[in-house]
Amino acid sequence: MSAQTAGTASRPASSVALDRRHRHARALRVSLVLAVLVVLVSAVSLTLGDAGVAPSDVLAALVGRADRLTSFVILDLRLPRLLAAVLVGACLGLSGALFQSVARNPLASPDIIGITTSAAATGAIALVWFGITGLALSGVVLAGTLVAAVLIYLLAWRNGVSGYRFVLVGIGFAAVCAGIVSYVLTRADLSDVQQALVWITGSLNSVDGTSLAVLAVSAVVLIPAALLVGRPLAALGLGDDLAAGIGVRPERTRIVSVGVGVALAAVAVSVAGPIAFVALLAAPVARRLVGRGSLALVPAALVGALVLVLSDVVAQFAVPGVVFPVGVVTGIVGAPYLLWQLTRTNRVGRGG
């Protein structure tokens, strides 16, 4: 039994219950603040662009009282991209929170351990070699990513899954998938390469009604599933023996959590490509805001949405006349964080 677990077990039940209520209350406050920030940033993003729209006109368009041109700009051009940014960011943030909680390692996010890279490899093959797009692309990417996740899990299994081994196996698998992507691109026509490169970098430029509908339906199913698995997953923090004692099946919980996390990442990647570092950033930031001892799943989803909406605003308007793939912005922000996290992890003795 760990010192933290022993300390928890030795405290009075009333004290533990009080701490739990305080954490829940703080998580609720943080979630409300983050939700307000997402709404505010989203509202501002709808007013920006070459065809500037006043906030009152944005509101009129949303309630169906604007003129035809304003309605077209807001409802047909800007709103689908914004909704995709919110949903993709939430899915990636939640996926990262699940993976990091299962592995108990802040580096165990989908973009580090090969999940999004395997999705990129599957998507590149589907796009370049078979010309698959839209709904079919989402299905192929999901299937390929699930297969990759099973392989990573099996390779990391040694009478259980160690977080350190899980990360190392995932990094190796990511390298293999990156090699596959490079091979596919070097064997493709130039026009196909250009399309695939934008998608592989991570972009919201080509979001359409079909992909947005797939993303929305998937999010409606997967986000509640992630929240449901959060309770038994949190119990694993007490240790497998104590968790089993209160009716939680440790290995089954890990497998279900990984499955939901893979599905969340795969759906996000199928729509916007493997956007880097959102999954890595969201959960640690959310846990720092909420406090230690919490999975912070809802705050992680909201942080992911906020980060991606802000990044997309920068990608669209930082350089006049140039719209960057949003993955460029998240990469610039996330790479220094990854370096800091690597040095910090080694300093506290968890990075080998």
Side-chain angles (χ1 to χ4, degrees), residues 145-169:
T145 308
L146 286 172
V147 171
V150 170
L151 289 175
I152 294 171
Y153 198 89
L154 291 176
L155 289 171
W157 174 268
R158 294 291 185 278
N159 297 320
V161 175
S162 162
Y164 180 49
R165 187 167 55 243
F166 191 56
V167 171
L168 287 180
V169 170

Side-chain angles (χ1 to χ4, degrees), residues 19 25 66 86 115 118 152 161-163 165 231 246 255 288 313:
D19 284 350
V86 171
I115 301 301
S118 63
I152 294 171
V161 175
S162 162
R165 187 167 55 243
R231 189 177 185 88
I246 59 175
I255 291 173
R288 187 173 291 273
V313 170

Side-chain angles (χ1 to χ4, degrees), residues 125-257:
I125 292 172
L127 275 170
V128 175
W129 286 358
F130 299 100
I132 298 174
T133 58
L135 182 60
L137 178 63
S138 299
V140 170
V141 169
L142 177 59
T145 308
L146 286 172
V147 171
V150 170
L151 289 175
I152 294 171
Y153 198 89
L154 291 176
L155 289 171
W157 174 268
R158 294 291 185 278
N159 297 320
V161 175
S162 162
Y164 180 49
R165 187 167 55 243
F166 191 56
V167 171
L168 287 180
V169 170
I171 290 173
F173 201 88
V176 173
C177 291
I180 293 173
V181 171
S182 298
Y183 175 78
V184 170
L185 295 182
T186 57
R187 304 291 295 177
D189 294 333
L190 183 59
S191 59
D192 293 332
V193 169
Q194 290 176 335
Q195 179 185 6
L197 275 176
V198 172
W199 183 81
I200 290 170
T201 304
S203 174
L204 297 168
N205 295 345
S206 58
V207 172
D208 56 20
T210 300
S211 59
L212 182 59
V214 171
L215 177 62
V217 171
S218 301
V220 167
V221 174
L222 293 173
I223 290 177
L227 299 181
L228 285 175
V229 81
R231 189 177 185 88
L233 184 59
L236 296 186
L238 300 173
D240 287 3
D241 293 338
L242 282 179
I246 59 175
V248 175
R249 298 180 179 179
E251 206 55 44
R252 179 182 177 182
T253 300
R254 291 190 184 96
I255 291 173
V256 173
S257 300

Side-chain angles (χ1 to χ4, degrees), residues 48-120:
L48 302 175
D50 294 335
V53 180
S56 58
D57 292 332
V58 171
L59 181 60
L62 293 177
V63 299
R65 296 183 178 180
D67 59 78
R68 182 176 299 179
L69 178 60
T70 302
S71 296
F72 173 76
V73 170
I74 298 299
L75 301 180
D76 294 344
L77 297 182
R78 298 181 184 175
L79 188 59
R81 183 183 183 115
L82 171 62
L83 292 176
V86 171
L87 292 175
V88 168
C91 288
L92 289 176
L94 200 48
S95 177
L98 289 175
F99 276 102
Q100 291 168 3
S101 298
V102 168
R104 301 181 189 177
N105 191 312
L107 299 178
S109 73
D111 40 2
I112 300 298
I113 63 172
I115 301 301
T116 55
T117 315
S118 63

